[in-house]
Amino acid sequence: MASTTPSFSAQVDRYFDKAAPYTGVGADLLHQIRTCNAVYAFHFPLKRDDGTIEVVQAWRAHHSAHRTPVKGGIRFADHANEDEVIALASLMTYKCAMVDVPFGGAKGAVRIDRNAYSDAELERITRRYTYELAVRNLIGPGVDVPAPDYGTGGREMAWIVDTYATLAPDKLEAAGCVTGKPVEEGGIAGRVEATGRGVLFGVRELCDDTEVMKGLGLPPGLAGKRVVVQGLGNVGSHAALFLQEAGGVLVALAEYNGAIANPDGLDAETALAHFREHGTLEGCPGATRFLARSADALELDCEILVPAALENVITEENAPRIQARILAEAANGPTTAGAADQLLSRGVQILPDMYLNAGGVTVSYFEWIKNLSHIRFGRMERRFEEASNRRILAAVEDLAGRPLDPLVRERAAAGAGEIDLVRSGLEDTMVGAYRNLAEVSRTHTVDLRTAAYIHAIGKIARVYQNRGIFP
Ligand code: GLU
């Protein structure tokens, strides 16, 4: 079955083509939007610590520059290939349009197994990758702004900004050449957990949509829903923590080398700590079962299944055995188009990747703005806000003739700092985008993914039309 699975980019195109007829956009413009603008495929030599030389393969794809800069993560993975990079870049284009983040779509990859390299080697790879892009003007705050993805994180982003800034010493806004940086390197509070927090907001909105929940035959609300999370990397670990905090019951957690389950619920923090310490979920306190085949966790009985690792984990082969009623795509491309059709025909609600994991790029957008404006959000107004709130509270106490509870007073007085503003902007974005999604889905009687594509294609088309490039 796996060999007949169409390529990742062919699957994305299939989703696009399903939505296209609803958009009223002409065939030529649809072709322009769908096509990947450019792929830079390159190789560079790496001197290993033992003195041997290895040739490393890498890519950066610019799917659509209808808005600039283009934006998207860089993954370090030994399975990386050009088709995957193109597919992921196209998802970035639609994702940004879906949540109204004014970027085009891009993605990069380095074909390495990151665990097979020392920190010093990874640093050389990251810096050389950046250099190769920088000398060709393929990275920069107004051109292309990478970010973390599978196998990369804040540390790699710090190497990227340092390399770029060294090559562009007079560029005032150089810090905006990459997002997902550590806060001390120009990053923003709340970026690390942003994708996971966005997943929570998306799932919560769906669970609070009474019409949808009635269709699923489930009571509204996230509290008490049984959740399975596959993948405890940055996205999955935070999604698990937040979903649990919001009342979801984590009945299974899966990593690449095995999964744990407990029908009464696992504790995310315990499981994460156990995995960090032992490199496996096996033996985790609180688990009633260990599943040696991680993929089996996807098929457990639950209401909400959250694939948060890699693409193509739900295929036509295992789709018939998926029991979840809600498939929350925290990863990019976890469901093949054929599997999605099967699940939809069984009435499963799919929260599509291009909406559900858009929290990361949303907060990346805030980080980029912070870098361009050279000031931390809330720095100018936080204290002023707090003083105004205190004056209002004093007047309220005067009127009431009694003092407020000190804890209540302190909470109500606080001005918004960077983390508060980031969370509020992220929530607003995810809630607003869900409303758009739900409305388009109802108007055309289509699934949420098709609705997301209709919405995104329409927005991108208008950019081309407004500029007189297409009728
Ligand atoms: N790699 C993340 C994604 O797939 C984040 C991209 C970004 O922040 O630019 O959405």
Side-chain angles (χ1 to χ4, degrees):
M1 188 64 80
S3 59
T4 58
T5 302
S7 76
F8 192 1
S9 68
Q11 317 236 21
V12 176
D13 285 349
R14 233 177 98 178
Y15 288 136
F16 183 102
D17 292 344
K18 187 175 170 192
Y22 297 96
T23 60
V25 174
D28 291 341
L29 179 46
L30 285 171
H31 185 206
Q32 168 64 42
I33 295 171
R34 204 178 86 151
T35 309
C36 181
N37 289 173
V39 189
Y40 180 52
F42 54 113
H43 292 85
F44 54 84
L46 164 75
K47 191 170 195 169
R48 304 276 324 237
D49 292 342
D50 65 6
T52 57
I53 309 284
E54 192 177 297
V55 179
V56 175
Q57 190 178 16
W59 298 267
R60 185 73 186 166
H62 289 183
H63 173 261
S64 176
H66 71 286
R67 292 255 187 249
T68 49
V70 294
K71 185 107 189 64
I74 298 172
R75 61 172 54 177
F76 285 180
D78 56 0
H79 65 262
N81 62 70
E82 188 163 317
D83 182 80
E84 182 194 67
V85 178
I86 290 173
L88 292 165
S90 63
L91 283 175
M92 287 307 304
T93 297
Y94 309 134
K95 190 184 301 188
C96 291
M98 180 66 234
V99 290
D100 206 14
V101 163
F103 297 138
K107 201 77 170 200
V110 180
R111 192 187 173 100
I112 53 161
D113 168 7
R114 59 159 300 142
N115 297 320
Y117 296 86
S118 69
D119 288 351
E121 288 169 339
L122 289 171
E123 178 169 358
R124 288 202 287 283
I125 292 169
T126 309
R127 287 187 183 276
R128 181 64 184 256
Y129 180 88
T130 311
Y131 176 85
E132 294 291 330
L133 298 181
V135 292
R136 290 168 185 83
N137 200 25
L138 290 172
I139 181 173
V143 185
D144 178 354
V145 182
D149 199 84
Y150 183 86
T152 60
R155 182 182 67 162
E156 285 74 17
M157 303 307 117
W159 290 331
I160 291 175
V161 71
D162 185 57
T163 308
Y164 179 83
T166 309
L167 293 167
D170 60 343
K171 205 163 241 172
L172 201 54
E173 67 277 22
C177 76
V178 68
T179 59
K181 302 178 291 291
V183 176
E184 314 76 53
E185 296 301 324
I188 193 164
R191 174 62 184 86
V192 177
E193 67 270 29
T195 313
R197 194 177 285 281
V199 168
L200 163 70
F201 292 142
V203 171
R204 187 193 70 191
E205 287 309 292
L206 183 91
C207 290
D208 287 346
D209 189 327
T210 43
E211 212 175 300
V212 167
M213 295 311 271
K214 206 168 132 203
L216 289 171
L218 296 172
L222 174 53
K225 297 275 181 303
R226 293 169 305 159
V227 182
V228 172
V229 179
Q230 185 226 20
L232 299 178
N234 182 44
V235 177
S237 61
H238 286 107
L241 287 165
F242 294 138
L243 287 166
Q244 180 183 353
E245 203 178 277
V249 181
L250 299 172
V251 290
L253 295 169
E255 251 298 337
Y256 71 99
N257 54 355
I260 46 168
N262 181 343
D264 295 327
L266 296 154
D267 178 53
E269 219 150 323
T270 309
L272 291 169
H274 185 87
F275 188 76
R276 258 195 310 272
E277 196 183 329
H278 303 281
T280 171
L281 289 168
E282 193 167 12
C284 177
T288 51
R289 254 178 92 190
F290 176 72
L291 295 79
R293 223 180 72 94
S294 167
D296 290 347
L298 299 168
E299 299 166 18
L300 293 175
D301 191 15
C302 66
E303 279 77 45
I304 305 171
L305 173 60
V306 187
L310 285 167
E311 57 265 20
N312 287 348
V313 295
I314 298 163
T315 63
E316 283 170 70
E317 194 276 316
N318 62 358
R321 299 189 299 277
I322 302 284
Q323 302 189 55
R325 306 295 297 138
I326 297 168
L327 176 57
E329 295 185 339
N332 287 312
T335 318
T336 68
D341 286 344
Q342 276 192 28
L343 295 171
L344 291 173
S345 72
R346 284 206 275 122
V348 174
Q349 279 287 344
I350 303 180
L351 272 166
D353 48 6
M354 55 182 274
Y355 160 67
L356 193 66
N357 69 32
V361 77
T362 300
V363 176
S364 277
Y365 170 47
F366 302 154
E367 179 176 335
W368 179 75
I369 293 171
K370 176 186 182 182
N371 295 148
L372 299 191
S373 57
H374 296 269
I375 188 163
R376 167 168 46 82
F377 289 106
R379 177 159 181 184
M380 300 275 285
E381 55 275 49
R382 194 181 65 84
R383 198 161 284 269
F384 178 82
E385 241 178 56
E386 192 175 310
S388 318
N389 292 346
R390 284 197 192 286
R391 280 195 294 275
I392 296 166
L393 290 168
V396 169
E397 283 175 333
D398 258 5
L399 273 175
R402 65 183 176 88
L404 286 162
D405 177 87
L407 209 75
V408 172
R409 193 193 314 109
E410 280 318 295
R411 276 216 193 111
E418 183 168 271
I419 188 69
D420 309 301
L421 294 166
V422 163
R423 284 183 189 158
S424 145
L426 174 59
E427 183 166 5
D428 192 53
T429 300
M430 293 304 292
V431 170
Y434 181 81
R435 300 228 163 107
N436 287 331
L437 207 59
E439 193 188 312
V440 177
S441 156
R442 273 168 200 144
T443 307
H444 296 286
T445 337
V446 291
D447 60 283
L448 293 172
R449 185 185 332 265
T450 306
Y453 274 89
I454 295 171
H455 185 75
I457 294 169
K459 280 190 76 175
I460 301 163
R462 279 193 293 283
V463 175
Y464 283 106
Q465 287 161 340
N466 290 339
R467 293 176 186 175
I469 304 170
F470 282 91

